Amino acid sequence: MIEYKVVYKQLTQPLREQIFNLWSTNQIMPFDEMLKRIDQVVVVAMDGREVVGVTSVYVSPFGAEDKLYYYYRMFIKPSHRNRNITRTSPPMSTLTRDFLESYNVTPKPHGVVCVLENSKISDKLMTTLGWNYYGKNSQDLPIWYVDFKKD
């Protein structure tokens, strides 16, 4: 059974090592990018004691007004796609989004942006999960976003 843990800004050394291993074994990115991205991990998906998925974010301007948003990324171990974790990945994205909305930081980003690289994820699923379609980027990938509720 897959369990999710919010680990933003509180990664233990054993989890850091497992995430590095997940990324390097699957040749996700160069080592220098891993060093940068490790501190951006928000949620880990655990299958027993093994990290099999992560979400990470970085803050950058978005939209016509260049407001700050979290840019969301997710990686799931190939052996856990389409079988077990993919069916439960919407809660993983929702958990990440809900955590970030409640996270106290100044300045507060206005929401979350996702450039969807996985063509198997349907527009219907994205809208069901509360995401709004924005358009396509220069690589013709769809951009989705969600605004946080205003206080």
Side-chain angles (χ1 to χ4, degrees):
M1 180 173 152
I2 304 299
E3 292 184 44
Y4 304 103
K5 294 180 183 179
V6 176
V7 295
Y8 195 55
K9 306 290 184 192
Q10 53 188 348
L11 274 177
T12 64
Q13 189 58 35
L15 275 178
R16 291 172 82 84
E17 290 170 8
Q18 280 198 50
I19 293 166
F20 276 122
N21 186 50
L22 175 71
W23 287 338
S24 62
T25 300
N26 291 282
Q27 301 176 342
I28 300 307
M29 65 193 91
F31 184 73
D32 59 334
E33 180 66 19
M34 284 191 258
L35 288 175
K36 185 171 92 175
R37 197 174 292 190
I38 192 73
D39 292 322
Q40 300 171 342
V41 171
V42 180
V43 173
V44 294
M46 305 289 297
D47 187 357
R49 292 183 163 175
E50 179 187 11
V51 174
V52 295
V54 298
T55 64
S56 63
V57 296
Y58 64 95
V59 177
S60 190
F62 171 71
E65 297 177 28
D66 273 349
K67 292 181 179 178
L68 292 180
Y69 276 74
Y70 290 105
Y71 279 71
Y72 170 86
R73 301 167 294 209
M74 179 169 54
F75 177 75
I76 299 171
K77 185 177 178 180
S79 63
H80 283 71
R81 297 176 189 166
N82 300 322
R83 288 191 305 144
N84 25 12
I85 199 169
T86 308
R87 287 187 219 133
T88 58
S89 62
M92 191 173 179
S93 65
T94 302
L95 178 62
T96 302
R97 190 177 70 200
D98 291 350
F99 170 78
L100 293 171
E101 185 168 14
S102 68
Y103 187 67
N104 191 12
V105 64
T106 304
K108 177 81 171 175
H110 292 271
V112 182
V113 174
C114 174
V115 177
L116 195 59
E117 296 177 358
N118 186 343
S119 61
K120 294 178 184 175
I121 297 176
S122 70
D123 292 355
K124 182 178 180 181
L125 175 61
M126 293 299 286
T127 55
T128 299
L129 293 172
W131 294 85
N132 304 292
Y133 181 73
Y134 181 78
K136 293 195 175 187
N137 68 8
S138 59
Q139 288 83 36
D140 205 34
L141 296 171
I143 302 168
W144 293 84
Y145 74 97
V146 63
D147 288 322
F148 293 148
K149 297 176 190 87
K150 300 201 180 354
D151 293 332

